[in-house]
Amino acid sequence: MFSQQSSFLRGDRKQQVRSHWIFQLIMVICNIGGFIAVYVNKDLKGKHHLTSWHGLIGLITAISCLVQAAAGIFLLYPNLIPKFITLAKAKIYHSTYGLLNYLLVVVVVNLGLWSNWANRNISTPFWYMCVACIDVLALVVMNQVTSNVLPRLRTSRR
């Protein structure tokens, strides 16, 4: 969203921030809706919940994303930030935790590709392409976030 190299939204910073929190609000709604859909579907089929790594880490990721979205409210309204944390550090923490959440999502999607369903429905070459696309995209996002956050981290320590 904020990358100078590949942002699909051009405009001033205020417009990017507004778009970011709108997309994140949509993510929270989809997160909750997806969790409810999986829960209800498993109940209807009489299956147990959270029996795989995909399900367990998926739940942890869903909760972590909700916490991150709630923490983002502090950046939207900086006067709510506790006095012992500067705005600059809060932005760095938010970026870093957002990257951690993104990587958790990548792990969950990769674990989903190891499921029985994926083995039955995805041919081997296409399966490898899916894993490669997900993981390459994760590397690109990691590079963009760290190249944006690390310089700010170095200047905030001085």
Side-chain angles (χ1 to χ4, degrees), residues 33-51:
F35 184 81
I36 291 170
V38 169
Y39 190 88
V40 168
N41 187 41
K42 283 201 176 263
D43 267 356
L44 291 175
K45 292 184 177 186
K47 294 184 176 181
H48 296 287
H49 298 281
L50 306 172
T51 57

Side-chain angles (χ1 to χ4, degrees), residues 25-75:
L25 180 61
I26 292 168
M27 178 275 306
V28 166
I29 293 167
C30 290
N31 185 356
I32 294 168
F35 184 81
I36 291 170
V38 169
Y39 190 88
V40 168
N41 187 41
K42 283 201 176 263
D43 267 356
L44 291 175
K45 292 184 177 186
K47 294 184 176 181
H48 296 287
H49 298 281
L50 306 172
T51 57
S52 67
W53 283 108
H54 172 74
L56 183 62
I57 296 176
L59 175 64
I60 291 166
T61 302
I63 292 168
S64 181
C65 287
L66 292 173
V67 169
Q68 169 73 348
I73 294 171
F74 289 106
L75 294 178

Side-chain angles (χ1 to χ4, degrees), residues 11-25:
D12 64 343
R13 181 78 174 170
K14 192 173 188 177
Q15 182 181 0
Q16 287 177 324
V17 169
R18 184 178 303 116
S19 300
H20 176 71
W21 72 257
I22 289 170
F23 280 119
Q24 295 309 308
L25 180 61

